[in-house]
Amino acid sequence: MPFRYPLQSILRLRFSLERQAEQLLFKISGQVLRLRTEIEELERGELARKRFGLQEVAEGSFGALLQYHQDCEFSVLEKRQVLLHQLQAAELQRREQLSLYQQARQKREILEQVREKQKALYEMELLRRDQQRADEAFLLRSHFEDQD
């Protein structure tokens, strides 16, 4: 008779919940990475725009152009603030999801450990029974050999 774990359906559920939590964690981590990349690109673009603006000032640009660069800088600062706020919220969400994933994994591992212990006990019991049968067969054989 093969080993049957009575909580196998619950263990499968725990595997599924852990996988879902992990996938959501990957999704949120991707959002965090996307936001960081967007902030870096924004900052690189701002740096390039400032270099270009300084070059124009050195060449004697018009006041309207200087005002345009100032407006662009203000716009970039606003966009950066929005992205930083979104990044902060995404990081918080990632930490919370990481905690949920770790809890789901721990619950699954506990059930898996219980399963392994029960399987080991089952196998020990099988070995004990086999040994008991072998001992009984030996005793019966030796008893019948003594009578002959």
Side-chain angles (χ1 to χ4, degrees), residues 21 41 46 59 84 127 143:
E41 288 174 2
E46 177 64 8
E59 294 171 1
L84 286 173
L127 289 174
H143 176 71

Side-chain angles (χ1 to χ4, degrees), residues 36-52:
R36 285 182 180 162
T37 303
E38 200 171 331
I39 290 170
E40 287 174 10
E41 288 174 2
L42 186 70
E43 289 173 350
R44 274 195 299 271
E46 177 64 8
L47 185 61
R49 192 196 54 73
K50 281 183 179 180
R51 262 192 239 123
F52 181 71

Side-chain angles (χ1 to χ4, degrees), residues 13-28:
L13 174 65
R14 292 287 179 207
F15 266 117
S16 176
L17 292 174
E18 178 186 357
R19 192 170 40 253
Q20 288 174 5
E22 183 180 38
Q23 288 172 347
L24 187 54
L25 178 61
F26 285 148
K27 180 182 174 185
I28 294 168

Side-chain angles (χ1 to χ4, degrees), residues 58-96:
E59 294 171 1
S61 62
F62 297 105
L65 196 53
L66 293 175
Q67 181 64 40
Y68 169 75
H69 283 293
Q70 188 177 17
D71 290 345
C72 285
E73 185 175 349
F74 181 73
S75 176
V76 166
L77 286 174
E78 283 182 335
K79 174 75 173 170
R80 185 173 186 275
Q81 284 301 105
V82 167
L83 289 173
L84 286 173
H85 179 70
Q86 290 174 351
L87 177 62
Q88 192 176 34
E91 280 286 355
L92 177 63
Q93 189 178 14
R94 188 192 62 78
R95 283 192 299 272
E96 289 171 355

